[in-house]
Amino acid sequence: MRSEELVEVRLAERLAELRAERGWSLEELAERTGVSRSTLSRLERGEISPTAALLNRLCAAYGRTMSRLLAEVESGPPQVVRAAEQAVWRDEESGFVRRSVSPPHAGLRGEVVEGVLRPGADISYDRPPVPGLEQHIWVLEGGLEVTADGRAHALREGDCLRFRLWGTSRFRCLGSEPVRYALLVVLP
């Protein structure tokens, strides 16, 4: 597949994702843009290429510039992210270390994160960044208590917890050793 064809395929996929992220039907998007439902459907399936005017209408509906939209589709996410290239963020005050194992990409819905909490670490969040966020937490070493939407779960090495988060959450290291876990985050 030529590079231009690949961009068109990614653009069609991204436009469908943007509509799905907002929970809009094709009919609702048609009303917002003045573009027929059938044209939007064919565009999202990659059967037609958008004109600049059509793309501008869609960008206005999605609240983004055309350059941002095209940047999201012109280059795909890297296939391999070496450990030395993974972003690490440390919160010394709370005792939390976060490694972005697979950096998020605008065209993808999931990411893998490694978390490490030192003994005594206790972190609370008042809300999820995105309501309905799906999380899978797999404890690799140590013990972790995860409270999601008011329900506490004590996890030990090898345990995995899956949930959709709508409200508050809390992560607390159990025991006298650090806890290391993998977190898979999937956008709704």
Side-chain angles (χ1 to χ4, degrees), residues 98-160:
R98 181 187 194 278
R99 174 184 297 276
S100 294
V101 178
S102 61
H105 182 272
L108 300 177
R109 295 182 39 193
E111 68 177 297
V112 178
V113 172
E114 177 192 47
V116 177
L117 292 174
R118 70 176 176 231
D122 190 340
I123 304 170
S124 295
Y125 301 97
D126 61 350
R127 66 179 157 251
V130 177
L133 189 69
E134 181 179 350
Q135 296 187 15
H136 301 248
I137 300 171
W138 179 28
V139 177
L140 304 172
E141 298 172 5
L144 177 67
E145 181 182 79
V146 177
T147 303
D149 296 324
R151 187 165 179 211
H153 305 273
L155 306 173
R156 300 288 177 202
E157 190 171 315
D159 293 348
C160 185

Side-chain angles (χ1 to χ4, degrees), residues 71-86:
E72 292 174 358
V73 300
E74 285 179 339
S75 62
Q79 297 296 306
V80 175
V81 182
R82 304 286 178 207
E85 299 166 350
Q86 296 168 358

Side-chain angles (χ1 to χ4, degrees), residues 48-89:
I48 60 171
S49 296
T51 63
L54 173 57
L55 205 51
N56 187 60
R57 286 182 178 194
L58 291 169
C59 286
Y62 293 129
R64 62 194 348 100
T65 65
M66 197 178 304
S67 58
R68 177 178 171 202
L69 175 65
L70 293 175
E72 292 174 358
V73 300
E74 285 179 339
S75 62
Q79 297 296 306
V80 175
V81 182
R82 304 286 178 207
E85 299 166 350
Q86 296 168 358
V88 176
W89 177 76

